[in-house]
Amino acid sequence: MSYAIIGILLAAVVILLISGTSGKLFSFVLKGSVRLIIGVFLLFLFNVVGALAGLHIPINAATTVLVGLLGIPGIASLAAIQYFLL
């Protein structure tokens, strides 16, 4: 992830805090941000371990969102696509 995306996320959190929006919206944004960060971390770990088997999943917005939403099954599906189709 680039510093621009992290800056945009932090700016969004600050704007939500200042504007006094409902707690549900802030909670939704916070949960989404945490899931994206976990997705990047899981992809990084997979790439470190997958290097031994010759598998590499690029860390980009699409793969991060997929892994952030699905978790381990998302990594498994991306690994299967990488292994069998590409």
Side-chain angles (χ1 to χ4, degrees):
M1 275 180 136
S2 68
Y3 291 115
I5 295 173
I6 294 171
I8 290 171
L9 287 174
L10 287 176
V13 168
V14 169
I15 289 171
L16 286 173
L17 288 174
I18 291 173
S19 66
T21 58
S22 69
K24 287 183 180 182
L25 181 61
F26 180 70
S27 174
F28 178 73
V29 170
L30 186 63
K31 285 180 184 178
S33 299
V34 169
R35 283 182 170 261
L36 287 177
I37 292 169
I38 291 172
V40 168
F41 182 69
L42 288 174
L43 283 171
F44 175 75
L45 285 178
F46 178 82
N47 284 335
V48 168
V49 174
L52 300 173
L55 290 173
H56 173 75
I57 299 173
I59 300 175
N60 56 34
T63 58
T64 302
V65 168
L66 182 72
V67 173
L69 289 175
L70 298 178
I72 301 297
I75 289 180
S77 65
L78 288 172
I81 290 170
Q82 180 72 23
Y83 184 73
F84 291 115
L85 297 180
L86 301 179

